[in-house]
């Protein structure tokens, strides 16, 4: 009888061990599947981030090109404006000179100013007062490109 009890105990222990082994095996399998899903999810996330990085780099490149183009246009406008300012300054100086010659030829006396008017065009270091009017700004149609 003891032999039967011993065999029964051994077979019960084996059954319990087999049951626990099966539980452990299922848990291990479940963990492997979960880890695999996690790796797949991580891989998808990395692929999405790589795509987003590509889009962002392309966007940055496009914006840098637009910025470079805007800077080129700005420099061109600045150069054109400087040329126009010099031309206008020379034109006004010539006009003033012609007026002085005309007045001299007509015998009209005038008091020649001792100093050049304080305008930024004539004196770039002079800071104008807020109520000083410089007149209209002249521009060509090419300047007003939008």
């Amino acid at each position: 009888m003891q032999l039967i009890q011993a065999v029964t105990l051994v077979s019960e222990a084996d059954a319990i061990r087999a049951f626990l082994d099966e539980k452990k095996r299922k848990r291990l399998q479940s963990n492997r599947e979960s880890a695999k899903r996690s790796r797949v999810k991580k891989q998808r996330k990395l692929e999405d981030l790589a795509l987003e990085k590509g889009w962002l780099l392309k966007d940055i490149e496009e914006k840098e090109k637009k910025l470079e183009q805007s800077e080129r246009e700005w420099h061109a406008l600045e150069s054109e404006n400087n040329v126009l300012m010099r031309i206008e300054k020379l034109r006004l100086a010539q006009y003033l000179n012609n007026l002085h010659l005309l007045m001299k030829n007509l015998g009209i006396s005038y008091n020649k100013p001792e100093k050049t008017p304080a305008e930024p065009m004539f004196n770039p270091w002079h800071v104008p007062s807020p109520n000083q009017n410089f007149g209209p700004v002249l521009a060509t149609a090419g300047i007003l490109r939008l």
Side-chain angles (χ1 to χ4, degrees):
M1 183 115 117
Q2 277 189 343
L3 183 61
I4 294 176
Q5 283 181 336
V7 170
T8 305
L9 286 177
V10 168
S11 62
E12 282 180 13
D14 286 342
I16 291 172
R17 202 173 300 119
F19 175 74
L20 291 176
D21 287 344
E22 179 63 20
K23 250 179 118 172
K24 184 177 180 181
R25 188 191 64 73
K26 285 181 180 180
R27 188 177 67 246
L28 287 174
Q29 181 64 29
S30 174
N31 286 348
R32 284 187 193 107
E33 290 170 2
S34 176
K36 184 177 181 179
R37 284 191 306 269
S38 179
R39 284 191 301 273
V40 168
K41 184 179 176 181
K42 183 178 180 181
Q43 183 63 35
R44 261 189 266 129
K45 181 69 173 170
L46 285 173
E47 290 168 359
D48 290 345
L49 289 173
L51 281 173
E52 185 178 359
K53 177 185 174 185
W55 295 331
L56 291 173
L57 289 174
K58 184 178 178 184
D59 189 43
I60 288 170
E61 184 179 328
E62 288 172 2
K63 287 186 171 144
E64 284 175 344
K65 286 179 182 179
K66 282 178 90 173
L67 177 63
E68 288 171 4
Q69 179 63 30
S70 295
E71 287 175 343
R72 281 193 297 275
E73 289 174 4
W74 180 77
H75 287 297
L77 289 173
E78 184 178 42
S79 295
E80 185 177 353
N81 188 46
N82 288 337
V83 168
L84 291 172
M85 292 280 285
R86 279 189 230 114
I87 290 170
E88 185 65 11
K89 181 180 175 182
L90 291 173
R91 188 187 69 76
L92 289 172
Q94 184 64 43
Y95 182 72
L96 184 60
N97 190 34
N98 289 341
L99 285 176
H100 286 178
L101 287 174
L102 180 64
M103 290 173 74
K104 183 179 177 184
N105 289 336
L106 293 174
I108 301 172
S109 65
Y110 63 93
N111 294 331
K112 188 174 182 181
E114 296 176 17
K115 200 174 180 185
T116 306
E119 288 192 34
M121 186 164 61
F122 296 110
N123 185 0
W125 300 112
H126 172 73
V127 178
S129 63
N131 59 357
Q132 193 171 359
N133 185 5
F134 294 110
V137 176
L138 302 176
T140 63
I143 288 178
L144 301 175
R145 282 179 262 134
L146 295 178

